[in-house]
Amino acid sequence: MSKIGVFICHCGENISATVDCQKVAEEVGKVEGVEFATDYKYMCSDPGQNLIKQAIKEHHLTGVVVGSCSPRMHEPTFRKTCASAGLNPFMCEVANLREQCSWVHEKGESTTEKAISLVKMLVEKVKKDQPLQSIEVPITKKALVIGGGIAGIQAALDIANCGHQVILVEKEPSIGGHMSQLSETFPTLDCSQCILTPRMVEVAQHPNITLYTYAELEKVEGSIGNFDVTIRLKAKSVDFSKCTGCGTCQQKCPQKKIPSEFNAGLGTRTAIYVPFPQAVPNKPVIDKEHCNYYQKGKCKLCSKVCPVGAIEYDKPDEFIKENVGAIVVTTGFNVLNTDFFPEYGYGKYKDVINGLQFERLASASGPTLGEIRRPSDGAIPKKIVFIACCGSRDPAKGIPYCSKICCMYTAKHAMLYQHKVHDGESYIFYMDVRATGKNYEEFVRRAIEEDGVKYVRGRVARVYEKNGKLIVKGADTLLGGQPVEIEADMVVLATAGVSNPGAEQLAQKMHISYDPYYFFSEAHPKLRPVETNTAGIFLAGACQSPKDIPDTVSMASGAAAKVAALFSQKNLVREPVIAVVNRCAPPVFSTCVGCFMCETACPYHAIEREDIKDRKGNVIKTVAKVNPGLCQGCGTCVAFCRSKSIDIQGFSNEEMYSEVVSLLNS
Amino acid sequence: MDNNNEFEPKIVAFVCNWCTYAGADLTGTSRIKYATNVKIVRFPCTGRIDFMLLLKAFAGGADGIIISGCHPNDCHYTSGNFHARRRWITFRHMLEILGVDVRRICFTWVSAAEGAKWADVVNDNVANIRKLGPYKEYTKVAQYFEKEAYNEQD
Amino acid sequence: MSKIEEKAVQMLGGDVKTVLGYEKGSKGTRPFFCHTTEDAAKLVYDENASTNLAAYLVKQEIKDEGKIGVCANTITLRAIAQLASENQIDMNSLALFTVLDEGKGDVKDFASVDDINAYLADKPLPDSEKYDNLDKKLEAMTSEERWTFWVNEFSRCIKCYACRAACPLCYCTRCITDVNRPQWINPWPSPMANMEWQVNRVMHMTGRCIGCGACQNACPVGIPIGYLSRKMLVDMSKEFGYIPGQAMKDGNSLSTFKPDDQENFIH
């Protein structure tokens, strides 16, 4: 015997401009089982909610349908309202009359008719709704942070300082990420390593942080509060418990000419290596791809010279399993290499470099010890051309977005060059200058007014080599498109920020969404920037989209706050939209016949087998059982079951059937 | 406003909550207009959609059906849309054998960011079904007892 | 003594209580439960029997009898393999054997589903040409003509559910037509309700159907439902790349998927 209350919201004018809300309430009020129907200007406001609460109490309502904005917006609000009035929150449904009706149709009879059918459809659903109780799941108060750049370091420190255990996993031999490769940071020209390394050391020494470097995420199972993760510890070939970091092995290693990833290809390293002098942990690993022993079976010089016998060859990768309550993804980004640009030489010209390579040149611990020198002949360039927006904002190259940091770092590069080479000339070809952060505009002004950097508004059509110089052919649009040709000694391309290779596979391992550029997707672009659509997995930093250091650090702290909020609860309260296999009286026990097709189909392996036994312990039949902690409520099993023995609470067979049938009959 | 006798199709859309429903919400937030003929029923995942619902929809008088979910590999529940895809390949083949007009069923992937695509899907479908006309053949058989169609000689 | 009789006597002397096989009936063969060694002489082998013995093996009364010997023909073997992979038959409770060369050769025992699959690997589905004419006729029709054909056929159905009873793979203790809430399939015998029932039955069979034709033989009004199940079996096995009629151990065609399943009708 249903007593449904129907509440139609005007949403100010958002709904009432095209839908006749009063008529909707009137018409739905005539449906059998609807006890009370009304309309109101702002249902989600306090007086609106009080209206619902009063109606529930006065009319003893058994269900509520609210016709308003999208349920994705306010379903939790209205469910809380019902709960506070004593009605089970899952007996409340929301009809989408705004995003999917009033906002997309013109004012008219058919729009109002559609609104009426949508509300009637949910009235029929509510009649079949069952009261449900939320599920409580215990939370493991340990977090996993994937990626040891500045975002990962910040997030790990914040969570660890709350008193929770953190596991930080980094795939390179050292933490630090791209920030450790920078020379100075805008807008303060702080030395990057000087501000980063104290944090790196803090991470290594923090009692709550377990650091795994040269390690990658192998597998993720489970769900929020209870993720079972498998981490692959790649074989380092060095026993860190014995290694003292003396560095003798690196001095003696015969393979000295391997291009150094840390120096963006401009310098070299050995096969047994520490990526940079301030690495944390400051102990080497062997690069198997370039080691004489692993490739040819010879050498083994490092093990001979190691004073403590720390070298251990041929160890397999180790796998460790951990149970964590939340995961923070901080895997960062990459920049395009110069070989992406055919018009700038396909990467063939040694003196055409990208921004990261320029950082290494400018860095005091870089391959040229901080002097700006041409990679081709080591000469100091007297004229440098910087080209902004290389690849970014270019739909023809498949990168329509803005990479956010390039305008600022190009200005910074030009300033650093001018500081180091007083008689040098620098030109920046730009489209716009995006200097939006605090003190950013003043920084760019300083580059132009104090350091004499010349800004030319226009794009560069071609760069080619002639007589040892690089000819840059561009245009100056502020002079009406006048062609500009500069004979430069070096060209620096501010290449686009892109996602890391392997981002897609990582996202699929964790079941998080990503956009067409393989940046990970946030749950809501405005209001939920640090969460993903997968509960318990959070994002921070450039893996979500290119950003500068202040924004990255803010986001990392934001993600850490979300993790801390999660861990501050005793138990996680989950929505009871899960599948249940029916049970009934003996001798049937359950209409389930135990074919277990649902078991194979379940993406979360949430279906188990249950033996139904008689008093002697003999098995009568084996049926399916759903593990409420693992089930995420997708309902795939329900559509498979031939005997319809498994049903999903909240979207049950009865409910969906009534919805569809009512939609067509109205 | 339907002041002429032009046929207004009745189309039901079965969509998944995480992608297409969110995409349709985005269409609303972007204020892109589309036809009123399509009514959306929300499911947690396309994997939940039972094939018998399609038959019930046609029997109830629907002239067209849209089924939409997340793109492959992007399912919020990882593989629900893969199972759904298998199911639709099988079911669509079955319907073809039986002579059900499968042109009236549109399967599509619309992600949460594709608000404009949803509007296009709706408008294209309404135009398509309008051309195909009402699905009289199905409803006539479905209303066998109600309309005493068994007395008609065919 | 025939080879079957020898085997049956040997089994009944051991731990087997009953041997299930065929005996000669008034028209062809019929299923026979042999309890004594004397009756063993009545057992015959029939490759083309119209009743599938596997349909008995899922019944609780038969399971309660303990270890049962089964003289299976090819189609029964297929059904047993499929049922075992769906947890309905415990292979350890069966003493399964067949007679090679369609009853003329030696006896062969089977211990597991893999044994059965290996034996069946090169055997074609039975009666492959039976439906060819109908297939050609229907393929030549337009969609509307096909609809008229099937509506006409289904107007004759009387909802006797003999197809369900005869099928070895239809073993749900409570069929969805029994627990018909919500009412997925209208219970009355109108053409639409009959079509809904068959659509449901054939969809539930997809990937599991062994092509035995028991449903076709059982239908009292002769609707070509065997054609429907067989066509779906063959077409979907081509589509999804599995061998028709062979039991898949980790799920069947509908409960598994491939990332590159055909998608050309999806926008």
Side-chain angles (χ1 to χ4, degrees), chain C residues 4 17 34 59 74 96 100 117 124 135 165 233 257:
Chain C
I4 298 189
K17 301 277 176 57
C34 173
K59 303 281 184 227
T74 319
L96 185 58
L100 300 169
N117 278 342
D135 198 24
L233 167 67
F257 61 86

Side-chain angles (χ1 to χ4, degrees), chain A residues 3 14 239 360 530 577 611:
Chain A
K3 285 189 178 192
N14 280 316
D239 184 348
R360 294 315 303 147
V530 296
V577 179
D611 287 330

Side-chain angles (χ1 to χ4, degrees), chain A residues 70 72 105 114 511 533 664, chain B residues 10 17 25 34 38 76 78:
Chain A
S70 174
R72 291 170 69 90
H105 301 313
K114 177 167 168 175
H511 309 309
N533 269 325
L664 291 156
Chain B
K10 262 177 144 177
N17 179 43
D25 277 353
Y34 54 80
V38 173
H76 181 259
T78 43

Side-chain angles (χ1 to χ4, degrees), chain A residues 151 329-330 332 539-547 551-553 555-556:
Chain A
V329 184
T330 50
L539 289 179
C543 60
Q544 183 248 355
S545 75
K547 51 177 63 72
D551 285 351
T552 302
V553 171
M555 211 175 162

